[in-house]
Amino acid sequence: MTSTRHEPATLDEMAATIRTHRAAGVRLIGAGTKPALVGHAPDPSLQTARIGEILLSSRRLTGIVEYEAAEFTITARAGTPIRALDDALAENGQSLPFDPPFAGATLGGAIAAGLAGPGRVRFGGVRDFVLATTWVDGHGRVLRSGAKVVKNAAGFDLPKLLVGSLGRLGALAEVTLKVLPRPRVQQSARFCFGNFTSAYEGLVRLLQSPLELDGLEMVEDATLLVRLGSPSHASSAPRLARLGRVLGIPPDSIAADDEGATWRAMAACRDLQPEGCETGALIKVALSPRRIPELEAILRSASWARRYSAGGAVAWIAVPAAHYDRARDDASLEALDRHLASLALPALVVRGAHLGEARRRDPRLGHRPGDNLLARIKRVLDPDGVLPPLDCSPTA
Amino acid sequence: MATPPRTQPLLEALETHFPPARLLRAPAQLVPYESDGLTAFRARPQAVVLPETREEVIEIVRLCHRFAVPFVARGSGTSLSGGSMPIEEGIVIGLNRLDRILSIDPIDRVAVVEPGVINLDVSEAAAVHGLTYAPDPSSQQVCTIGGNVAFNSGGAHCLKYGMTANHVLGLEAVLADGEVVRLGGNSLEAAGPDLVGFFCGHDGLFGIVLEITLRLIPTPEHQQTVLAAYRSLEAAGHAVATVVGSGLLPAALEIMDRHILRAAEAAVGVRYPPEAAAVLIVELDGEHDAVEADFARLESLMQKTGASSLRVARDADERAQFWKGRKSAFSAVGRLSPQYLVQDGVVPRTRLAETLVAIEALSEHYDIPVANVFHAGDGNLHPLILFGDDDRLAEAEALAAEILALCVRLGGSITGEHGVGMEKRAHLPDMFGPEDLAMMAALRRALDPLEIANRGKMFPGGEAPALSSRGPHPLEIAGIASRE
């Protein structure tokens, strides 16, 4: 796979790169806006360029552009690592409310992949916090969409459209996010149920209760991991006790020293793919609590590791790699694709370095609601297919 | 007025589908549809058609596309930006009869509704499950979900819960050329571009939403509501900065100035401290113990803000009283001035105080009173320009334009929650460059090649090319006189 890598340092350079290579009729891969989940050494799964294609990286397009803490908004360039943003926000007692799951990712990658972490259960996902974007479409036009204030109803909501767009509609150069105060005290506990059904019922009970949780994960098959964010230690203890009453079993508290690390591991899916063992495929399924039992039945029979995250809004699935057998790996994914389609659940392959080229170029699995609308949008923003195709219709 | 040539065959086709009771043609029947919440303008459509099923809506849209006749979808007509204003060459599609709540799923915490369902009815239907629908526009007792989606409506509790788009998980819609699309689903998440979010706030230009999957939240079990009076609007503005900066996340943070207070007192009999030049309402909601812990902090913070009085709602009744004046503010202002324009600009929250001072100066300059009621917590202003009678409309619009320009200059937006509609279309280029506007117009044409869906809204210039030879925009003419 011979491809040329371009690393523009400015917005204008980014636009010029797209325009130049567009004129030459060369296809272009927005590497910087694809889910660069493992940071600056891009996951091989993202190296989908064919001979002659250009890889566009936002690696040099970094830095915070505007951040006034009292405004609770932050604007940064797309290549800024999530970790750097988080550090800057932490200094002012703030954080990214959608809890981006992979700290090594870039801002652009996190937005374009549309990935939220366990914390989304409290305040919402990526779509709920993207206020404005500066981006370049397939024509090479520099576009400024949205507004850098927390509320705006002017013009079409292009910033939301770009959430989860995987570099198919444009390359992100700059993003403005709404941020929130970081909870002062966080306390977590495990609730271990004897079986899947009881744990699932517990999850549903918590979702229907007025309890405001900062984290609610269904791990392994019968354990709920719950997080509470409180203004003070004093208010935290009675809330934890109340959780136990709602669930009918006592909490197994997690020590304060381990609390942060436990959730960071969840965010990075270390329970499914331990560090250094990211060889298989990692898949995000957009889910709702009612569908958990159906999906669980399929995953259990396939023996794939899974976790129901963010109160059941997401399932994370790890499909292990069959060593040196790409055909078998692809077959596993195709089986999962069919199952998800039959359940009408949309999904995304987040890691999958070992997969065949077709799957790496089209990381979406299962149900694809609105593809007819998306194809029309693609024809406006990237009519010549300068950016990667949607792979959702023969004409795209 | 003669029926425009293209409309006649459409009306004939509609007559074969709809009985006269659902295809309104007589002038007396059309009058209620001439205007919406932007009362300064009116226009009479050729007809109003009242579908009762989604299939009928799709059929009407396909006929409009076939005969190239513009249509305006309308719910209760509460748009404050003229978003549901009819167009004289076109028809109105009234969606109030598509008012069924199709299902409520307490496990997924979603309600599936038709576009004509009234906002408040969703929460009332969900209450039995301990759930509620969070977006609460002031007009929530009458406004419909279809309109809320088209204009991405907000409300007082947006500060904590977000706008309509944050609560729409799935949609079925008929695009303006008749194709039906299904977007999203029951999940809070997606795998691919956020098409649902993109579709919210389209100002009616993409087509008509047929079915909406709304996210419900557990009804907050506890609230604490504080009403603080201040001797100046600026002091209230500073109090907002104090609360926001503290790291507390109130459900609502609202300011009313003295014009609004007096009007609300007269209209709904709420009593406010007599010395108040401004009142700030702060509401915390959520889990009992968390609210109480936050409330202790809020009280001590508020005591340092120089409030002349501080009242805490003792019970649900008193809380409702605090809100009654706020939610009736727009209608109450009718007592001060029969004619007014409502603005909806947004400024960065840290620039709130200076914005209020600048608006006051503009009010003096134009010698037109401006009342202020606003969602202070997110910097969303609602200056009400009380221009008295029609002959000062042009000046009022000039004053409104200066306020919008100010919001944009400070890095904000021309609209926070009302949408651009007809009223602010001339100001869209203040926020977006020519390439952005061209891109948005191209997206619109990709979904509506004939530009028949809510033609004349959002984009500057009004008329679509096909009709530009027909003279001045009918709405501008209609603004001067209502024609029988």
Side-chain angles (χ1 to χ4, degrees):
Chain A
M1 286 198 281
T2 311
S3 58
T4 321
R5 193 179 178 90
H6 285 245
E7 296 182 346
T10 66
L11 170 63
D12 289 342
E13 276 179 40
M14 182 186 246
T17 305
I18 292 180
R19 277 196 304 270
T20 305
H21 295 284
R22 175 191 152 76
V26 180
R27 288 167 45 85
L28 192 144
I29 305 285
T33 62
K34 297 184 83 179
L37 302 178
V38 290
H40 295 328
D43 187 317
S45 69
L46 304 172
Q47 300 284 18
T48 53
R50 290 179 173 149
I51 291 167
E53 284 181 332
I54 301 299
L55 266 176
L56 179 68
S57 165
S58 63
R59 196 179 71 85
R60 292 170 65 209
L61 213 56
T62 59
I64 292 167
V65 179
E66 278 176 55
Y67 175 39
E68 197 168 346
E71 210 52 67
F72 288 86
T73 58
I74 191 165
T75 302
R77 295 191 186 88
T80 311
I82 288 291
R83 195 174 279 119
L85 275 183
D86 206 44
D87 289 347
L89 291 168
E91 280 179 28
N92 292 287
Q94 300 178 345
S95 61
L96 296 171
F98 58 92
D99 190 16
F102 303 95
T106 60
L107 172 61
I111 304 304
L115 298 178
R120 78 107 50 232
V121 73
R122 177 68 189 271
F123 294 113
V126 182
R127 71 186 297 249
D128 299 305
F129 296 95
V130 177
L131 302 174
T133 47
T134 302
W135 56 294
V136 182
D137 70 2
H139 299 274
R141 293 184 288 198
V142 173
L143 300 162
R144 291 183 168 82
S145 301
K148 294 177 178 178
V149 280
V150 295
K151 210 169 168 188
N152 169 44
F156 301 143
D157 202 336
L158 277 306
K160 279 202 179 67
L161 179 68
L162 295 171
V163 171
S165 63
L166 299 166
R168 265 61 176 169
L169 303 176
L172 290 164
E174 206 174 286
V175 180
T176 302
L177 297 168
K178 176 180 169 180
V179 301
L180 287 177
R182 199 176 277 264
R184 293 176 163 198
V185 179
Q186 288 187 308
Q187 206 178 347
S188 296
R190 287 192 180 84
F191 294 86
C192 304
F193 295 81
N195 57 71
F196 170 83
T197 306
S198 308
Y200 174 66
E201 285 167 3
L203 176 94
V204 170
R205 257 200 311 284
L206 284 182
L207 290 173
Q208 289 175 337
S209 80
L211 295 167
E212 295 181 316
L213 306 176
D214 278 23
L216 175 56
E217 302 284 299
M218 191 164 157
V219 295
E220 295 143 23
D221 3 64
T223 298
L224 296 182
L225 176 62
V226 187
R227 188 178 217 185
L228 288 172
S230 302
S232 66
H233 281 288
S235 58
S236 168
R239 294 180 65 207
L240 202 57
R242 184 176 171 192
L243 261 178
R245 288 196 301 278
V246 170
L247 291 173
I249 54 172
D252 173 11
S253 287
I254 295 174
D257 290 349
D258 297 336
E259 209 266 354
T262 300
W263 286 98
R264 279 193 297 278
M266 284 294 134
C269 292
R270 289 298 173 215
D271 55 329
L272 305 174
Q273 290 191 327
E275 193 148 15
C277 303
E278 295 99 347
T279 50
L282 182 67
I283 293 124
K284 166 198 165 176
V285 182
L287 190 63
S288 64
R290 185 175 282 285
R291 315 300 302 281
I292 290 176
E294 292 166 83
L295 183 60
E296 169 68 14
I298 289 167
L299 300 178
R300 187 187 296 142
S301 67
S303 299
W304 288 329
R306 65 274 180 193
R307 169 161 44 90
Y308 301 100
S309 181
V314 171
W316 290 102
I317 303 170
V319 177
H323 290 288
Y324 310 110
D325 192 347
R326 183 165 277 181
R328 254 176 73 193
D329 292 332
D330 284 354
S332 300
L333 262 281
E334 299 326 309
L336 180 60
D337 185 25
R338 284 192 301 276
H339 284 307
L340 293 169
S342 71
L343 295 176
L345 294 173
L348 181 70
V349 181
V350 169
R351 285 183 193 137
H354 59 299
L355 297 171
E357 182 177 309
R359 181 51 67 197
R360 281 183 285 128
R361 291 183 77 88
D362 182 15
R364 292 171 67 193
L365 297 177
H367 187 46
R368 295 162 176 246
D371 264 6
N372 50 349
L373 174 64
L374 185 55
R376 292 196 194 201
I377 294 169
K378 173 79 170 175
R379 283 196 288 273
V380 172
L381 298 176
D382 183 30
D384 301 329
V386 175
L387 301 168
L390 300 168
D391 295 311
C392 64
S393 83
T395 53
Chain B
M1 198 177 88
T3 305
R6 270 186 279 227
T7 315
Q8 193 54 44
L10 170 71
L11 294 177
E12 283 165 15
L14 288 174
E15 274 167 5
T16 67
H17 288 79
F18 295 92
R22 296 204 286 130
L23 181 61
L24 313 181
R25 304 284 308 273
Q29 291 176 306
L30 301 178
V31 167
Y33 296 90
E34 285 181 356
S35 193
D36 61 10
L38 181 70
T39 52
F41 300 91
R42 51 187 60 236
R44 180 166 303 167
Q46 293 297 315
V48 174
V49 59
L50 302 172
E52 291 177 345
T53 64
R54 82 177 69 190
E55 291 72 25
E56 287 182 350
V57 178
I58 294 167
E59 183 60 26
I60 296 166
V61 169
R62 286 178 180 165
L63 287 170
C64 285
H65 179 70
R66 185 170 140 208
F67 294 110
V69 173
F71 64 84
V72 178
R74 181 180 171 113
S76 300
T78 55
S79 171
L80 293 166
S81 57
S84 52
M85 280 275 301
I87 177 164
E88 289 202 344
E89 295 89 347
I91 65 164
V92 166
I93 304 174
L95 296 162
N96 299 74
R97 297 184 182 201
L98 279 89
D99 62 352
R100 286 157 287 234
I101 295 177
L102 300 171
S103 64
I104 291 183
D105 182 337
I107 292 181
D108 279 353
R109 299 187 298 182
V110 296
V112 181
V113 307
E114 292 185 324
V117 168
I118 289 171
N119 175 297
L120 195 58
D121 289 354
V122 180
S123 288
E124 284 181 0
V128 62
H129 302 290
L131 298 170
T132 194
Y133 176 61
D136 60 340
S138 295
S139 57
Q140 70 180 142
Q141 293 181 337
V142 288
C143 67
T144 61
I145 296 295
N148 292 175
V149 170
F151 290 87
N152 194 13
S153 306
H157 292 79
C158 280
L159 178 59
K160 177 172 175 181
Y161 294 105
M163 305 185 20
T164 299
N166 304 107
H167 297 268
V168 177
L169 304 181
L171 286 175
E172 183 187 40
V174 54
L175 302 180
D177 62 4
E179 185 173 3
V180 174
V181 296
R182 283 196 78 94
L183 317 174
N186 278 18
S187 182
L188 291 162
E189 282 281 313
D194 180 15
L195 296 170
V196 173
F198 173 66
F199 214 95
C200 291
H202 63 102
D203 269 34
L205 301 185
F206 292 168
I208 298 180
V209 172
L210 303 168
E211 185 185 297
I212 307 108
T213 303
L214 298 171
R215 168 189 169 209
L216 303 172
I217 60 166
T219 309
E221 64 177 343
H222 191 51
Q223 274 125 354
Q224 284 286 10
T225 311
V226 182
L227 189 147
Y230 294 89
R231 290 199 166 83
S232 76
L233 190 53
E234 216 181 336
H238 287 306
V240 169
T242 304
V243 175
V244 170
S246 71
L248 288 170
L249 185 62
L253 199 50
E254 302 279 308
I255 288 182
M256 296 180 276
D257 77 0
R258 61 181 194 283
H259 299 292
I260 302 289
L261 296 176
R262 300 296 92 85
E265 281 177 342
V268 293
V270 190
R271 304 220 52 81
Y272 294 107
E275 79 288 353
V279 152
L280 172 65
I281 299 176
V282 189
E283 184 160 284
L284 300 172
D285 76 6
E287 203 181 314
H288 186 278
D289 294 329
V291 168
E292 285 302 313
D294 281 348
F295 180 60
R297 276 184 68 210
L298 177 68
E299 267 196 310
S300 69
L301 274 174
M302 295 289 285
Q303 256 136 28
K304 293 174 204 150
T305 60
S308 63
S309 82
L310 212 56
R311 277 160 58 192
V312 179
R314 282 162 308 194
D315 51 29
D317 284 348
E318 194 168 22
R319 174 176 174 258
Q321 279 292 307
F322 286 4
W323 279 109
K324 195 174 175 188
R326 169 62 188 90
K327 295 226 168 189
S328 64
F330 289 177
S331 55
V333 156
R335 288 172 174 260
L336 300 180
S337 165
Q339 292 278 35
Y340 62 88
L341 294 176
V342 183
Q343 289 297 292
D344 179 40
V346 184
V347 293
R349 293 177 277 200
T350 48
R351 314 296 293 270
L352 207 53
E354 68 181 280
T355 308
L356 294 171
V357 171
I359 290 174
E360 202 166 348
L362 285 169
S363 166
E364 277 171 26
H365 174 75
Y366 281 87
D367 191 26
I368 296 177
V370 176
N372 283 291
V373 51
F374 50 96
H375 308 303
D378 30 40
N380 186 191
L381 307 163
H382 288 318
L384 292 108
I385 300 163
L386 312 172
F387 64 94
D389 51 53
D390 283 347
D391 54 349
R392 300 204 68 191
L393 174 61
E395 286 168 272
E397 287 190 302
L399 168 50
E402 290 207 44
I403 294 176
L404 294 183
L406 174 71
C407 291
V408 174
R409 206 160 56 237
L410 292 174
S413 171
I414 58 173
T415 173
E417 57 183 12
H418 296 171
V420 176
M422 205 207 83
E423 182 213 13
K424 291 180 285 287
R425 60 192 178 146
H427 299 285
L428 200 65
D430 298 352
M431 277 184 72
F432 299 107
E435 291 209 302
D436 296 284
L437 292 171
M439 177 266 295
M440 286 194 272
L443 281 172
R444 186 262 185 105
R445 280 193 299 276
L447 310 188
D448 178 10
L450 304 178
E451 302 188 346
I452 54 173
N454 222 6
R455 177 183 289 175
K457 312 293 163 62
M458 190 193 277
F459 289 108
E463 288 290 323
L467 290 179
S468 59
S469 59
R470 296 181 64 88
H473 194 284
L475 301 186
E476 275 134 23
I477 301 166
I480 301 161
S482 167
R483 287 168 289 169
E484 165 59 46

